[in-house]
Each structure stands twice: as C-alpha cells, then as structure tokens.
Amino acid sequence: MKHLLISILLIAAAISTSGFFVALAFDQKCNKADLIVRAVVIRTVEFFPKSEEFDQSKEVVSNRVPTSKVQILRVVEIAKGNADTVPALIYLPCGYTSELGETPPDFKQGTDVVVFLREMGEGYYALLDSLSYAEIMGDKVMPELPVHRPKDEDEWTYWQKHGISTRAYIDMIKEEIKTANHTVEPIST
C-alpha cells in the first residue's frame, strides 16, 4: 500500500504544470540529469482504480485501463551517478500524460535502454522529458527515434546502419559531463 501511494504521488509530481514541450539537446540531457544509466526493463506494475469507480454494468476486468504504471529497471551500467548510492533497481513512473500531452514511453519487458533521469526519492526516478532515453538493439544505440525508415529496410537493418555503438554512446555521455564540469567561466571585471 505504501508503494502504491508513493507511486501515485510521484507520478503526479512528474507531470508538468505549464508551458510547451521542447525536447532537450544531448548536452542538456547529460548535464541536467541526476542519473544516467543503461538499464533493462524487468517488469511493469500497473495500478488499477477501485471497482467502485467503474460503471458496474460495463466493468470487464480484462478491459480495465490502468490509472498509472511503474516500470522496474535493472541497472546494467552507470554513465553518471555515484556507484555507491545508485540502487540496483530503479522505479520509473509511466502510463500518464502531462498537461502538455507529453507521455513517457512505456517500454516492453526486456527492453535495453540508456535513460537520462532526475531523482524523485525512494528509488523513483523520472525521465527528464519523454525523449530522454536511447533504446539499444544488439550493440547499437539509436539516440533519436528513427523517422522515415525506407520500406525495404527492416528495423534491425536500419538500426545497425544508422545507430552508434553502445560503448561509444556511453563514452560520449561521460565526455560531455567531463567537458561541462571543466568549463571555465569568464572573470567579470
């Protein structure tokens, strides 16, 4: 019950309150994230409203729509964050739409991803925005979703042609963080 209440409160806190959605650039994601990890989705937990909230005449258990979901991710590698304090499992709220129409992705079980996260407390994290992730297929990362893939090219072929190696992507993140931390501010006179 405690986790259900925490999940609902954290999902509510993750929903934006106003403005327009603008995806963050790679350098912004690297620098604004509290935690950047490669992780695998091991489970999705769905929370359903109580049956009194349904029209009893139309309620069909198999057709109930969850009011919220939390995905459980197993950390595989840490690109940004303290290895001593990063939990082995991360709870990622999903299954909601913000006021801006932004919906965090609902990853399938087994999906391998690099996620750019902000800490929410108690092992819960939220994506910086709905595009603050990169999905991994094989040994390649596709940082931006493939847009017009040629019809004669299957997803795997497209990914392998246009993606970058997972190791190179993680190294790019680490280099961006390192560069940002060594930026020298001009001295004001």
Side-chain angles (χ1 to χ4, degrees):
M1 184 64 179
K2 177 183 173 187
H3 282 288
L4 173 61
L5 180 58
I6 290 171
S7 298
I8 292 170
L9 292 173
L10 291 173
I11 288 170
I15 299 174
S16 301
T17 56
S18 64
F20 293 99
F21 170 71
V22 177
L24 296 171
F26 178 76
D27 63 330
Q28 292 173 314
K29 291 177 192 178
C30 291
N31 296 311
K32 289 185 176 191
D34 297 323
L35 180 66
I36 304 170
V37 296
R38 178 179 180 183
V40 175
V41 179
I42 58 171
R43 186 172 173 206
T44 300
V45 179
E46 300 181 30
F47 302 100
F48 295 94
K50 293 182 180 177
S51 60
E52 303 90 39
E53 296 174 19
F54 284 98
D55 177 353
Q56 295 295 326
S57 64
K58 296 179 181 176
E59 181 178 330
V60 178
V61 173
S62 63
N63 291 337
R64 292 204 293 189
V65 177
T67 55
S68 62
K69 297 180 187 180
V70 174
Q71 294 192 311
I72 303 170
L73 286 72
R74 180 180 46 82
V75 175
V76 174
E77 182 178 359
I78 302 167
K80 180 181 182 181
N82 183 339
D84 295 333
T85 60
V86 173
L89 298 178
I90 289 176
Y91 301 96
L92 184 66
C94 62
Y96 65 87
T97 302
S98 75
E99 292 175 0
L100 303 176
E102 186 182 16
T103 304
D106 189 357
F107 301 116
K108 292 180 183 174
Q109 185 171 336
T111 302
D112 192 356
V113 290
V114 175
V115 286
F116 298 78
L117 305 166
R118 63 183 164 86
E119 189 171 3
M120 299 173 71
E122 305 234 5
Y124 285 83
Y125 291 82
L127 291 173
L128 292 176
D129 64 32
S130 61
L131 298 177
S132 288
Y133 70 95
E135 199 167 335
I136 299 169
M137 185 181 285
D139 67 344
K140 300 282 184 158
V141 172
M142 187 60 70
E144 302 299 327
L145 297 176
V147 266
H148 307 290
R149 175 172 38 97
K151 290 181 181 181
D152 61 337
E153 214 169 46
D154 66 9
E155 186 176 9
W156 177 260
T157 304
Y158 182 89
W159 209 282
Q160 296 305 305
K161 254 191 214 178
H162 302 286
I164 60 173
S165 81
T166 303
R167 178 79 274 133
Y169 189 67
I170 298 288
D171 289 345
M172 282 172 41
I173 293 168
K174 290 178 179 179
E175 186 60 34
E176 179 60 42
I177 294 163
K178 185 174 146 185
T179 302
N181 289 337
H182 293 325
T183 304
V184 177
E185 295 296 322
I187 300 171
S188 57
T189 55

